[in-house]
Amino acid sequence: MNIMLFHSTYGLRPAVHAAAARLRAAGHEVYVPDLFDGRTFETVEEGMAFKDEVGKDELLRRAVLAAAPYSERGLVYAGFSFGASTAQTLALGDEKARGLLLLHGTSDIAENASVDELPVQLHVADPDPFETHDWLNSWYLQMQRTGADVEVYRYPGAGHLFTDPDLPDYDAAAAELTWKVALGFLATL
């Protein structure tokens, strides 16, 4: 499987490279674009400020350019938090998308979005300050209306970016379960 993996607002950190290595070890081809041009951040606030400074449109343009050379092959789009939001936007706009793996994040869904049974898997903390219960319920229904085949996995007590061992949110048990389930999902695509 060809996977386009997008980083969070912390930037392209070691945890993203470790995730890519884990996916490669499972036999996948993984592309890890750097949408922040080498910048990484110590806090979510710094990363969000940089993201806002660069702008949503420019970051989406960078993501589209990163995916374009590989999209004909049928990509699985994946990402962490902000990167999951980016992955979702690209997957819903790419008729050749093979799947969507969302880790710690979702995004708004265009009213005219439509897919043909796109497999989607979301892994999210419960509760998550960025992905509230009301938001996730609405998101789930909207994704189903697009034609996506959606699975949601919630991890009680985990922090927002619970798969990143270098952050305070890290939860080893939740992270390992996430990767076990995610690798099983990818194996079915």
Side-chain angles (χ1 to χ4, degrees):
M1 196 58 49
N2 293 298
I3 301 171
M4 181 65 55
L5 180 63
F6 294 104
H7 60 76
S8 74
T9 56
Y10 284 94
L12 190 52
R13 297 163 41 87
V16 181
H17 290 296
R22 185 184 289 240
L23 293 168
R24 288 181 185 114
H28 303 289
E29 184 73 29
V30 185
Y31 311 100
V32 187
D34 184 352
L35 303 182
F36 286 3
D37 294 328
R39 301 277 308 267
T40 59
F41 301 96
E42 294 300 314
T43 69
V44 70
E45 293 80 14
E46 291 171 348
M48 297 281 272
F50 180 77
K51 176 182 75 90
D52 293 344
E53 178 184 315
V54 173
K56 184 178 180 178
D57 290 343
E58 173 59 20
L59 291 169
L60 188 56
R61 185 189 73 79
R62 291 176 186 183
V64 168
L65 288 174
Y70 310 104
S71 63
E72 281 299 312
R73 300 177 190 176
L75 288 169
V76 171
Y77 291 91
F80 297 95
S81 191
F82 153 74
S85 170
T86 303
Q88 178 186 305
T89 300
L90 267 61
L92 293 180
D94 181 353
E95 63 186 28
K96 293 188 182 220
R98 302 276 306 274
L100 176 59
L101 176 60
L102 303 171
L103 302 163
H104 322 296
T106 62
S107 183
D108 294 332
I109 301 167
E111 285 187 34
N112 63 346
S114 176
V115 295
D116 186 17
E117 297 182 10
L118 179 72
V120 177
Q121 192 174 85
L122 168 64
H123 297 267
V124 63
D126 184 15
D128 187 308
F130 299 102
E131 304 288 329
T132 66
H133 284 234
D134 287 346
W135 166 260
L136 286 174
N137 291 335
S138 173
W139 173 87
Y140 179 81
L141 293 172
Q142 289 178 55
M143 282 298 281
Q144 284 197 313
R145 276 195 290 271
T146 70
D149 180 14
V150 184
E151 297 178 339
V152 177
Y153 293 86
R154 297 179 190 224
Y155 299 84
H160 176 64
L161 272 168
F162 62 83
T163 59
D164 188 329
D166 297 325
L167 295 176
D169 287 346
Y170 182 62
D171 182 312
E176 282 310 306
L177 182 55
T178 294
W179 285 115
K180 179 181 178 186
V181 172
L183 289 170
F185 168 72
L186 293 169
T188 68
L189 303 180

